[in-house]
Structure formats: structure tokens, C-alpha cells
Amino acid sequence: MSFTFNLNHIDQAVDYLDKHLQTSIISFNGPLGAGKTTLISRLCQKWQVTDPISSPTFSIVNHYRSRIKGVIYHFDFYRLNNIEEAMDIGTEEYLESENLCLIEWGEKISGLLPIHNKVTICINEDQSRTINIVNP
């Protein structure tokens, strides 16, 4: 499944993701600047997260409360050097919690991920984005 959008119409992409995501664990992959954090932030807004939403680049994981989805964990594994670092912060426990887990740079921990949705974001020549969703 794929969907192409202009950044001025990101809400359409968020609606598309909300409709098509099927698991509680979602891996967002794509190059730097593709919009992973922006899409996750907008999804969290749609799901009425009551906490401040920010990139967990340095903290690795942020915890949010959503009026619609309950507890949400937002990960950013960009700075990880190896999978052991993800294990050291208890990633497996988060993934087994049955709470929603939104993961940036999930390919860095692919060996830890159970069944999950894979969202790949590509930057097109005209600077639009194409989202590809692979459901389990």
C-alpha cells in the first residue's frame, strides 16, 4: 500500500496511516529529513496526546498519554551503535507491553521487532513524499 502527499497536505497522510496501520508496533524508516518525526507528531496530535510531543533523539524513548490510544511509546534509534544498546534501555519490555510503539529508524533493531507494520517514507524528486506500508 502506498500514498503520495505534499508536505502541505500532511493531514491526509496522517489519516491514511491511521486508517491502514494494523499493529501496535509501527516502524518508520526513511532518510534523514523524510518526515518520520513529523508524521509521528501529527499522528499523536490526531490521537489526542496530552503530553508535549518531541523527538526522542537524545532520550531514545518518550512516553505519551493519548485520550484515544492510551499509552504511546515513541522511539528514535538513530543514534544507536548496536542492538545491545536498545536492549539496555528495556526495548523488549516496551514492545511486549501491548501499548502503541512508534519507532523511528526501526531497521536498526529489526532483530528485536515482533510482528509490526513497516512504514517507509521516500522523498520524491518534487519533494513530495511517498509512504509505503507493509502490514504483517
Side-chain angles (χ1 to χ4, degrees), residues 3-71:
F3 181 82
T4 299
F5 66 99
N6 181 296
L7 292 177
N8 294 329
H9 300 101
I10 196 165
D11 289 334
Q12 293 172 348
V14 168
D15 290 342
Y16 178 83
L17 285 170
D18 186 43
K19 180 179 178 183
H20 290 94
L21 296 174
Q22 298 178 352
T23 64
S24 62
I25 300 171
I26 304 150
S27 172
F28 291 81
N29 303 294
L32 280 172
K36 296 176 290 294
T37 302
T38 301
L39 278 172
I40 289 172
S41 295
R42 296 298 278 270
L43 275 168
C44 287
Q45 289 171 5
K46 180 176 183 68
W47 295 332
Q48 300 178 16
V49 165
T50 56
D51 304 296
I53 304 164
S54 63
S55 174
T57 301
F58 296 101
S59 61
I60 301 178
V61 62
N62 287 342
H63 304 207
Y64 308 130
R65 293 227 176 254
S66 163
R67 291 186 175 116
I68 296 173
K69 300 285 186 177
V71 174

Side-chain angles (χ1 to χ4, degrees), residues 1-135:
M1 276 184 277
S2 66
F3 181 82
T4 299
F5 66 99
N6 181 296
L7 292 177
N8 294 329
H9 300 101
I10 196 165
D11 289 334
Q12 293 172 348
V14 168
D15 290 342
Y16 178 83
L17 285 170
D18 186 43
K19 180 179 178 183
H20 290 94
L21 296 174
Q22 298 178 352
T23 64
S24 62
I25 300 171
I26 304 150
S27 172
F28 291 81
N29 303 294
L32 280 172
K36 296 176 290 294
T37 302
T38 301
L39 278 172
I40 289 172
S41 295
R42 296 298 278 270
L43 275 168
C44 287
Q45 289 171 5
K46 180 176 183 68
W47 295 332
Q48 300 178 16
V49 165
T50 56
D51 304 296
I53 304 164
S54 63
S55 174
T57 301
F58 296 101
S59 61
I60 301 178
V61 62
N62 287 342
H63 304 207
Y64 308 130
R65 293 227 176 254
S66 163
R67 291 186 175 116
I68 296 173
K69 300 285 186 177
V71 174
I72 298 173
Y73 299 118
H74 177 191
F75 299 87
D76 185 335
F77 291 122
Y78 178 73
R79 296 180 339 117
L80 288 190
N81 294 313
N82 54 57
I83 203 164
E84 287 78 24
E85 290 179 347
M87 293 172 66
D88 288 347
I89 67 159
T91 299
E92 290 173 303
E93 289 80 20
Y94 288 112
L95 297 174
E96 294 169 359
S97 71
E98 298 186 15
N99 292 309
L100 192 56
C101 295
L102 307 175
I103 303 166
E104 297 184 47
W105 302 97
E107 68 269 20
K108 289 193 167 210
I109 65 156
S110 61
L112 288 180
L113 292 176
I115 294 173
H116 65 286
N117 285 120
K118 295 177 188 174
V119 176
T120 303
I121 306 165
C122 300
I123 304 172
N124 303 315
E125 285 185 28
D126 64 358
Q127 296 307 303
S128 66
R129 305 299 194 262
T130 298
I131 299 170
N132 292 300
I133 300 174
V134 176
N135 290 321

